[in-house]
Amino acid sequence: MDIKTTVSILGILYIGTLTQPGKCARYEEPYYGRVIGPLQEFAHGIKGTAYAVDENTIFIKGFSYDGTGPDAFFWVGNSPRPSPEGYIIPYPEDYVGRDPPVLRAYNNTDVILRLPMGKRIRDIRWLSVWCRRFTVDFGEVFIPPNLEVPKPRVLPEFKRITHGLRSGNISVLDAKTFYIPNLHYDGAGPDAYFWVGNGTEPTQLGIKVPNEMGSLDPLRGYQGEDIEIQLPGSLTVYDIDWLAVWCVIYRENFGHVRIPKDLDVPPALGQTKITTSSTARPAGSTNCREFLDKRLQVRWELQGDSVQIQLAARMREDQYVAFGLSGAQGRAQMVGGDVTVAFYDTESRSFKAVDYYMSHTAQCDGKTGVCPDERIGGRNDVTLISGERKNGITTITYKRPLQTNEPVNDRAIPASGEVSVIAAFGPLNSRREANAHSITDKTTDDVRIDFSSRDDSECTASLYNLMDSDGPKPWPPAEIRGETLFSARIGPTGGKRGYTPITGEPSWGIAWYINDMLIPEIYVERGQTYMFLVEGGNDKTNPARYHPFYITDSREGGFGQKSEADQKKQNVYAGVGYDNDGYAVPTAAGRYCEWAHKSIDKSAESETFSEYMQTLRLDCDAGEPAVLNWTVASDTPDLLYYQCYTHNNLGWKIHVVDPGYISQQNGVSSSTRHLSHVVYVTILLCILGTFNVHASRHIF
């Protein structure tokens, strides 16, 4: 039996010793605070027992009232007896409208009352159920003189032992909640948790405490953050002697603080023994959902008019994770989706959470596509809270408002009720923006979340226990030598066998197919003229189907979406002209032809590219290809790239060699010559308009 299993068993047994009735406990359970007294009934069936929770809060256990009073409210004051000189305690406190609602009927209901306008219990003498219209007292209870109200207790900071653990003075806010300000911890402990137990010093006989997000994953690093954590189950601060950061596998105490025996703190509002309709929601929600083969865990908590979300993902450091609202209720739809893209920026060495809107499934061109709100004239309504990268897991916490002032770029998160959500992984491009994801790295089923829920926890395993799969073996790169006529069409990237493993570059999910091969490396000779018949799409209004072809020295491409300064960093050799005003315009687009999946992406199960091509079909719009003629100059550099004018990373290499080089090589096989002949005939058929034209379709 390994040490972690042993400790887990001991912990389970130990919970029993911590929670035995009367064991180290100052107050009998259930604990509701200091007793004020029972309500005395005068009319309308008033019943209940009042407790002082803290200086500003009263709890009524088992409140009853028949609800027939025409103008009745909870009413408090400082006069000798209940009178019109008091004031209302609104209930429920989250009412909608200008005036507090009249009390409805209640039957043995637990009620939380919060004194308004900064009033404290010591400022009042009584609590009444009072009818304003007839100035009648239906029931009352008097505050005992010199009542000692429970208060939060401030403790020392964590004892500093190892791993840079330190904090400000820790507060016990209530019987289950610790507030830890300015927490620092390096996150390097392999199996560290918040840990509580009995005795003079921390030992392995303790139990785990969920972190601030309600998770029992090993602790991440903290850099001066203020957090709240809550004891699990029925445990209270009266059951424990210390709070520590403890490494389970090595039985090491990183630091701790002792819990004094003379605590007199408020009861924990929101725990199951005080379940009320207006209970304040505790920090540390237990909501958790898994996405994308359990590689992504999403936790959330509704906080007033905002929602705080934590994304924990097993992914590469150069990837992003996206999560947000689907573009359509009832299905997973990217177009129209409002998501947050979160990632670690390796250049600035910082974590980012960015508000995105998706008007198309194409790369952002500054106006449409998958774009950061700020890039298309909107605002980033996402606030980064924290970020961490540890053992292959990226964890980013952020907050966004339920409602924003951007009706186009943002969708409202409902305060209650289910809404369809989407998620995805993908690579980042050179702008540190979201690039295309593979078909397996996005949600395809309709998943719905009620962001107002409290215990929607379906996470079944730790991300740290997931094994990285080796993945399919990439296809070998293709080459074209000795040809002077090329077709250029659009097709899928081939998943984890194709574009990215071949080039080492992120892709947008589509790529150039030259002579019906996925991004082959082309060899051309100086002084020779070459013809490209381009079918990348010429509909400028649809960026997902508009891919002009050009030749450049840029490994990335995307000339048309670059700033003027960035355009000057590229040299263009073919496919771009300039109008009378000096603005760049693409010259080779043509009709849209796409190699599309017959069903689903089967790249993972296709051992060769030839097998993969059998799973594709060619769909072409009506029209003609564009013709690009290129004569290679004598001073052309040795390495160029064919690319897309409007999007990054669709093409690959062109090797430029001296005259006679290709004929001297022995790499031109009969199969290659046969393919060239087939391509040539196919292109002629396209030009003559005899090619079958299929219905248009989307790339994704």
Side-chain angles (χ1 to χ4, degrees), residues 311-556:
L311 307 178
R314 174 169 282 282
M315 63 184 191
R316 300 193 311 271
E317 191 175 69
D318 61 349
Q319 287 184 303
Y320 68 83
V321 57
F323 174 78
L325 302 186
S326 172
Q329 181 66 3
R331 65 181 185 272
Q333 178 174 299
M334 298 297 170
V335 174
D338 178 12
V339 302
T340 296
V341 172
F343 58 94
Y344 177 68
D345 188 338
T346 55
E347 294 181 358
S348 64
R349 297 185 179 274
S350 62
F351 291 91
K352 301 289 180 65
V354 183
D355 195 1
Y356 270 65
Y357 178 72
M358 297 184 287
S359 60
H360 289 279
T361 55
Q363 192 176 118
C364 182
D365 61 5
K367 296 180 181 179
T368 59
V370 180
C371 294
D373 283 14
E374 289 183 323
R375 195 174 173 201
I376 52 176
R379 183 180 62 231
N380 184 17
D381 291 299
V382 173
T383 301
L384 177 70
I385 303 298
S386 63
E388 179 203 27
R389 174 79 179 170
K390 178 182 177 182
N391 296 335
I393 309 300
T394 297
T395 304
I396 295 177
T397 304
Y398 63 91
K399 181 182 289 188
R400 64 149 285 176
L402 301 181
Q403 299 273 355
T404 72
N405 294 322
E406 295 186 68
V408 176
N409 299 334
D410 288 331
R411 298 189 60 211
I413 297 177
S416 62
E418 291 185 333
V419 63
S420 297
V421 297
I422 52 178
F425 293 128
L428 295 162
N429 63 21
S430 63
R431 292 178 61 98
R432 319 309 293 165
E433 291 180 357
N435 218 328
H437 45 69
S438 70
I439 192 69
T440 59
D441 285 343
K442 70 174 182 178
T443 50
T444 55
D445 297 329
D446 179 33
V447 180
R448 304 184 188 187
I449 283 179
D450 182 348
F451 284 93
S452 66
S453 57
R454 292 298 301 164
D455 296 301
D456 183 358
S457 182
E458 299 181 6
C459 295
T460 59
S462 169
L463 291 170
Y464 292 94
N465 294 331
L466 290 180
M467 299 298 293
D468 288 323
S469 60
D470 293 332
K473 185 178 180 180
W475 297 314
E479 291 184 354
I480 299 178
R481 301 170 183 256
E483 300 294 339
T484 59
L485 182 62
F486 304 96
S487 66
R489 297 171 175 140
I490 297 298
T493 56
K496 295 180 180 180
R497 294 186 185 272
Y499 188 96
T500 295
I502 291 173
T503 66
E505 299 289 338
S507 75
W508 189 243
I510 56 174
W512 283 117
Y513 277 53
I514 307 298
N515 290 3
D516 298 337
M517 289 183 278
L518 173 61
I519 56 164
E521 297 187 20
I522 299 172
Y523 284 76
V524 299
E525 292 185 352
R526 295 178 177 90
Q528 182 66 265
T529 298
Y530 298 88
M531 177 185 291
F532 293 84
L533 300 182
V534 181
E535 296 169 315
N538 51 19
D539 182 1
K540 297 180 181 180
T541 65
N542 187 350
R545 297 167 69 88
Y546 181 58
H547 308 291
F549 181 95
Y550 81 113
I551 296 172
T552 175
D553 61 0
S554 169
R555 186 182 177 96
E556 182 178 68

Side-chain angles (χ1 to χ4, degrees), residues 178-194:
F178 291 93
Y179 171 66
I180 308 174
N182 196 30
L183 177 62
H184 291 260
Y185 164 58
D186 64 12
D191 197 31
Y193 304 88
F194 294 116

Side-chain angles (χ1 to χ4, degrees), residues 99-139:
D99 298 318
V102 174
L103 286 179
R104 61 173 178 82
Y106 293 93
N107 181 22
N108 196 32
T109 302
D110 296 340
V111 170
I112 296 289
L113 300 176
R114 305 186 194 280
L115 299 180
M117 301 176 290
K119 296 291 185 180
R120 293 170 292 184
I121 290 178
R122 68 186 183 187
D123 299 324
I124 63 175
R125 292 187 181 183
W126 44 261
L127 166 67
S128 167
V129 178
W130 179 266
C131 180
R132 289 190 307 181
R133 182 180 302 177
F134 296 106
T135 63
V136 175
D137 182 7
F138 295 164

